[in-house]
Amino acid sequence: IGVVLYFAKALFMPIVLGFLLAMTCSPMVRFASRWHVPAPVTAFLLVACLLVTGLSGLYGLSSSFTSWIDEIPNAEKTLQRHWKAARQPLEKAIKASDQIEAAASQGNNDIQRVAIDQPVLLESAATDAFSAFTTVAVTTVLTFFLLASGPLFYNKLVRVMPTLTDKKRALSIVYDIEKELSNYLMTVSCINAMLGTCIGLALWALDVPNPILWGVMAALLNFIPYAGALIGAAIVAVVALISSDQLLAAGLAGAVYLCLSILEGNFLTPWLVGKRLALNTVVVFIGVGIWAWLWGPVGAIIAVPLLSGFQVAVSQVPSMKGISEFLGD
């Protein structure tokens, strides 16, 4: 299964994303159906809102991102200067290592060295952009069809189950997963938006350039447990170092980012999300690592929702109660 998920990422990733989005938005479709709004209409409005929000966010951040790209040459010079200053205490050890390497290479002059051509940067960027566009397109279309179909798949699930007990259990599992994932993703999205706003305001107060861009980055990275806060703090510290050219400012910006993330993770999220979907810390860490290896950043973001849904499912199957116990906090 791992090998198939790894090599068929382009196929399975938009399918999983589509099902996650559909399960998150399904309660809204059912609520609208009680007011006699057809499921396809609600599905179209929800998908359109998601697309408009995403495109508006990208357009709003494009100027900040472009300005940051323009600063890369200056940033590279600043980092090289700081690296040169930090490298001086280790200069003797590095020179000794270079001498050993030179002596070893002189004795192997007749060995042929093979250089492998790397793909052109523009070609790689174009391939990644096309892949991202395809993933978004398939995810959007699949989400619309799943939401527009209403209870079709649930009815089919009931029909294929052999006994009345199995029908009730299957329907209960599906509705519980849908409810818990919808509540979890909605709540966590709001929490991350608040965290991103607070971090953006804090970085603005510290005179870090493009605070809106880093606030949005913080909101997205916070979907990745543990590693997201560390990665964001490191990026913000580097940005502050480049902009101010002072180690104290860099350390302060990174520390503020990390402190706000720690406060959110240890107090706000447990208070709002509750303990029902609390997962074992070790399981979450391993799960995020596995899914990040399989599907990159997208896998790291969806790891916790997938683990939570799996925990809800196995908790209602008597023969799998042990797995649920190991997954729980």
Side-chain angles (χ1 to χ4, degrees), residues 7-19:
F7 287 103
K9 175 176 68 174
L11 172 65
F12 286 107
M13 187 164 67
I15 293 176
V16 172
L17 289 174
F19 272 96

Side-chain angles (χ1 to χ4, degrees), residues 49-64:
C49 287
L50 290 174
L51 282 178
V52 169
T53 302
L55 293 176
S56 301
L58 289 176
Y59 179 77
L61 293 173
S62 59
S63 58
S64 298

Side-chain angles (χ1 to χ4, degrees), residues 195 199 203 218 222 226-234 236-237 251-266:
L195 176 66
I199 289 178
L203 295 180
N222 204 52
Y226 313 124
L230 296 176
I231 294 172
V236 167
L252 182 60
V256 168
Y257 186 110
L258 200 57
C259 287
L260 289 174
S261 299
I262 291 173
L263 290 174
E264 173 272 326
N266 288 277

Side-chain angles (χ1 to χ4, degrees), residues 238-261:
V238 172
V239 171
L241 177 64
I242 293 170
S243 60
S244 65
D245 203 12
Q246 294 181 1
L247 292 176
L248 180 60
L252 182 60
V256 168
Y257 186 110
L258 200 57
C259 287
L260 289 174
S261 299

